[in-house]
Amino acid sequence: MRRRTVLAGLSASGAALTRTTAEAGSVPRARNVVLVHGAYADGSSWADVIGLLQREGLKVASVQNPLTSLADDVAATRRVLALQDGPTVLAAHSWGGTVISEAGMDPKVSALVYVAARAPDANEDYAALAKRFPTPPANAGLVYSGGFGQLSEEAFLRDFAGGVDPARAQVLYAVQGRISDELFSGKTTVAAWRSKPCWYAVSRQDRTTAPELERFLAERMKAKTIELNSSHLSLVTQPQAIANLILEAAGLRG
């Protein structure tokens, strides 16, 4: 689907917007939303966004990724998609963007939403792509043991969950998802964003994924893009802005 960029402006919430709209037709109205979490997290990271979407009458499900391999995470997402009835928005944070780029080809998926998320092309070496951009500080805090990795407490609180209420950040650290040391080596076989309408939320203060990389990915997929003054966890620090983006992708906001 070809799209055109209209104008960059400022939203009521203070998020910078780059509007990208379909040249013909409109986004199908969805009644379901499936949320996919990233590495170093679990499905509870979407908790505040879930409540906001449910108040709008949407059926919401949050995937629990095993974080053992790309194939395993895609399978977990497909199992949840199989339970949906009708058009579904598939939204992802961080690593979850790789998962929805593969699983998003499901015919039920009406739109894709990426939140500070990876968005590899088919068979792309994402690590090589990321090296073209500044190295985020969180990388230095990744430690492995027994074939699984996690962020150190210091890196998690400072670089991953920056701006989150300290007590909430400690809870998120406690439920941190441990990743297989082979997780990031998986490559997608398709890029669903090439054929589905896309939205993207860039985190300007991100210390886990370079904001410059996020902007590149959003532009490459011709997504409607917002920029938030947020750390990597904008879904926690600015849940209303993320919910609004998902609602627009669901055809419930103009």
Side-chain angles (χ1 to χ4, degrees):
M1 180 181 292
R2 297 177 58 199
R3 292 184 280 270
R4 59 185 178 87
T5 300
V6 181
L7 181 66
L10 192 68
S11 75
S13 65
L17 294 179
T18 300
R19 296 194 178 275
T20 308
T21 57
E23 288 186 350
S26 59
V27 179
R29 181 158 179 165
R31 53 177 173 258
N32 313 298
V33 177
V34 171
L35 305 169
V36 183
H37 68 82
Y40 326 123
D42 73 353
S44 68
S45 60
W46 288 102
D48 295 335
V49 174
I50 290 170
L52 294 169
L53 297 177
Q54 289 175 332
R55 286 176 212 166
E56 298 291 334
L58 288 167
K59 176 186 173 184
V60 186
S62 184
V63 176
Q64 294 289 357
N65 284 323
L67 300 176
T68 46
S69 70
L70 172 59
D72 290 345
D73 287 358
V74 169
T77 299
R78 285 175 172 159
R79 286 194 293 272
V80 177
L81 282 172
L83 300 175
Q84 308 310 307
D85 178 20
T88 301
V89 174
L90 188 56
H93 174 242
S94 194
W95 156 256
T98 300
V99 178
I100 71 169
S101 293
E102 181 81 13
M105 294 303 296
D106 189 297
K108 291 180 181 178
V109 175
S110 56
L112 300 169
V113 178
Y114 292 78
V115 180
R118 299 181 177 212
D121 207 344
N123 298 306
E124 183 172 50
D125 185 339
Y126 185 84
L129 172 66
K131 287 180 180 178
R132 293 164 44 190
F133 298 88
T135 301
N139 284 16
L142 184 57
V143 292
Y144 282 90
S145 176
F148 285 81
Q150 67 182 82
L151 291 175
S152 67
E153 183 173 4
E154 180 182 6
F156 188 96
L157 300 178
R158 179 191 62 209
D159 301 324
F160 186 76
V164 177
D165 174 79
R168 176 77 180 279
Q170 286 287 354
V171 171
L172 292 170
Y173 173 71
V175 299
Q176 176 183 181
R178 277 67 179 177
I179 67 168
S180 164
D181 57 10
E182 299 179 355
L183 182 68
F184 294 153
S185 64
K187 293 183 180 180
T188 58
T189 62
V190 295
W193 49 264
R194 287 197 173 275
S195 58
K196 301 289 177 89
C198 298
W199 281 255
Y200 199 108
V202 172
S203 291
R204 287 176 173 162
Q205 300 168 19
D206 205 320
R207 294 171 60 86
T208 301
T209 299
E212 297 89 342
L213 174 55
E214 294 175 16
R215 294 185 184 105
F216 168 82
L217 297 171
E219 182 177 358
R220 181 170 71 169
M221 69 172 67
K222 298 180 173 61
K224 172 171 179 180
T225 303
I226 64 171
E227 293 207 357
L228 300 172
N229 289 321
S230 171
S231 69
H232 194 56
L233 287 180
S234 59
L235 67 170
V236 177
T237 61
Q238 298 197 41
Q240 188 65 67
I242 300 304
N244 288 345
L245 197 65
I246 295 172
L247 289 168
E248 184 170 332
L252 299 177
R253 291 284 189 276

